[in-house]
Amino acid sequence: MGERYPLIVLEGGDGAGKTTLRKGLFRLIESLYGVTPLSILTTNFLAPDAAGALVEGKHQPSAENRDRYLSALCTDKRATVERLILPALPCRPVIADRWIISELAFFAVKHATPPERTYAALAPAVQIRADATLLLETTAEAAVARAAHRADDAARPDWDNVPVQERVRAVHREITARPEAFGLLGPLVRIDASADRPTVLAAAWDALRERRLLPALPLTDTSR
């Protein structure tokens, strides 16, 4: 695993099961290795001056606030890397629930911005390469059905609908077809999220193990 723990990114459309997988990986790593991972979100609001633009740009996207929102995202991600990710990696893994791909999809769908252009703006702020990006894939219909069962008002009518989620998945396919153009994603692993939760968790675990992102388990003394 090298001299530090891994940065593991979970991506996928709304309702793909990212939060469920994050919780599963968190518990497995903590119970097997005795180290508590750090969980972060795509937006962590660590730069107070950018908070207003982050909220407006996400929930009321417009041509007028597009560039302001992108600038605020860069500010927030730079602060997240410097204040959360880099200090944590020497002592524990970091699991990100969304990170770069979700931003590329948002700007492609809401602002017709090519993923390469958004990536070029975000990359100088992010800088650190993920050790693995796990992309959970499911149908738009299944994702929207799952999103509809979220508590309170977590589902957004302007985003959690089949046409929009189909477009999100089209962006995902575009990115996975040319991963070399988005180097900070690191190794990109596609996981079938339509399977049951244990199967998805096992697939993610195998992907991390195969890339040597997990330490060897301590040997169990069976002589007693």
Side-chain angles (χ1 to χ4, degrees):
M1 193 175 56
E3 298 179 353
R4 64 167 179 79
Y5 285 90
L7 168 60
I8 303 164
V9 175
L10 309 181
E11 290 280 9
D14 283 27
K18 296 180 297 300
T19 299
T20 300
L21 178 57
R22 171 172 56 82
K23 292 177 179 178
L25 290 175
F26 185 101
R27 293 175 183 134
L28 267 179
I29 292 171
E30 187 173 49
S31 62
L32 289 176
Y33 302 108
V35 58
T36 301
L38 172 66
S39 293
I40 64 170
L41 302 174
T42 185
T43 305
N44 296 281
F45 296 97
L46 293 177
D49 292 345
L54 289 171
V55 173
E56 180 186 14
K58 179 179 180 180
H59 295 284
Q60 298 176 321
S62 67
E64 290 72 27
N65 64 32
R66 179 194 61 192
D67 293 342
R68 187 164 61 252
Y69 179 48
L70 182 56
S71 177
L73 281 174
C74 292
T75 299
D76 185 73
K77 289 191 182 299
R78 182 177 290 106
T80 299
V81 169
E82 293 176 353
R83 295 171 57 184
L84 292 182
I85 296 177
L86 292 179
L89 288 178
C91 54
R92 54 180 172 160
V94 176
I95 306 174
D97 190 336
R98 302 180 185 268
W99 187 232
I100 295 178
I101 290 181
S102 293
E103 310 295 8
L104 306 185
F106 180 89
F107 275 86
V109 172
K110 287 295 186 179
H111 297 294
T113 304
E116 298 93 333
R117 186 179 302 173
T118 305
Y119 178 82
L122 291 173
V126 173
Q127 297 185 32
I128 185 171
R129 179 177 183 266
D131 294 289
T133 293
L134 309 182
L135 178 60
L136 303 185
E137 299 182 318
T138 187
T139 66
E141 291 80 4
V144 170
R146 290 178 183 176
H149 289 88
R150 291 174 180 166
D152 303 322
D153 60 349
R156 292 177 51 187
D158 68 319
W159 187 258
D160 295 307
N161 61 72
V162 172
V164 167
Q165 290 303 311
E166 288 283 13
R167 292 166 64 193
V168 168
R169 279 147 184 77
V171 177
H172 291 172
R173 290 191 293 272
E174 181 181 348
I175 293 169
T176 57
R178 298 181 297 108
E180 68 281 355
F182 310 95
L184 293 181
L185 301 182
L188 186 55
V189 182
R190 301 166 66 182
I191 294 178
D192 179 6
S194 66
D196 57 67
R197 293 179 179 180
T199 300
V200 173
L201 178 57
W205 191 259
D206 286 343
L208 298 178
R209 179 178 51 80
E210 290 167 3
R211 287 158 182 78
R212 300 182 179 180
L213 297 178
L214 298 168
L217 284 171
L219 294 176
T220 301
D221 186 353
T222 58
S223 62
R224 297 179 183 179

